[in-house]
Amino acid sequence: IPPAVPFNPVVKEFVEPNPSDHFIYWLFRYRCMECKMAGQEINEIVPRSRSKKSILDWRNRVVLCRMCHAQFHLMGVTQTKIQLMQAKRKEYLQSIDRGAYL
């Protein structure tokens, strides 16, 4: 019988960042970063229409529920909305102990 490995709660898991939907859902713990309900959609903060490369940048992708996603796009995506969403992304990742992905 091998010796028991002691549990170390300080060990942090790290997953190599990538733009896949699976990684993005994992990164946000499958929760909407706005209302904390179950996340259902991945949103690009800077819309695809403004930058075709935005979908390939995992730092530009967040998880939202359908209602928060619709609210983000309501009346168009402005530079102010983009900046606010980027700040909320940072705050949310820090709040769920995923600051290493900023």
Side-chain angles (χ1 to χ4, degrees):
I1 298 176
V5 177
F7 174 71
N8 185 353
V10 179
V11 173
K12 305 274 185 184
E13 67 178 326
F14 185 83
V15 175
E16 191 64 36
N18 66 75
S20 74
D21 289 358
H22 178 74
F23 172 74
I24 301 302
Y25 278 112
W26 172 86
L27 180 61
F28 288 87
R29 298 190 188 227
Y30 301 87
R31 295 277 170 202
C32 172
M33 70 166 211
E34 292 278 4
C35 68
K36 315 307 183 269
M37 299 300 288
Q40 299 153 325
E41 299 187 18
I42 293 178
N43 182 55
E44 283 82 32
I45 299 171
V46 176
R48 299 176 206 199
S49 60
R50 295 191 192 176
S51 171
K52 299 297 181 214
K53 294 180 182 178
S54 68
I55 196 167
L56 300 176
D57 183 2
W58 63 271
R59 289 181 181 92
N60 187 51
R61 304 183 83 209
V62 297
V63 175
L64 298 173
C65 69
R66 287 189 180 105
M67 288 182 61
C68 291
H69 189 218
Q71 186 66 33
F72 179 70
H73 288 281
L74 185 66
M75 306 289 283
V77 177
T78 63
Q79 191 60 35
T80 302
K81 282 184 177 181
I82 290 171
Q83 291 171 339
L84 186 59
M85 183 71 71
Q86 289 168 333
K88 286 181 180 181
R89 177 190 181 276
K90 180 179 180 180
E91 181 182 308
Y92 180 74
L93 289 177
Q94 288 174 330
S95 76
I96 61 168
D97 200 27
R98 295 239 162 110
Y101 294 95
L102 296 176

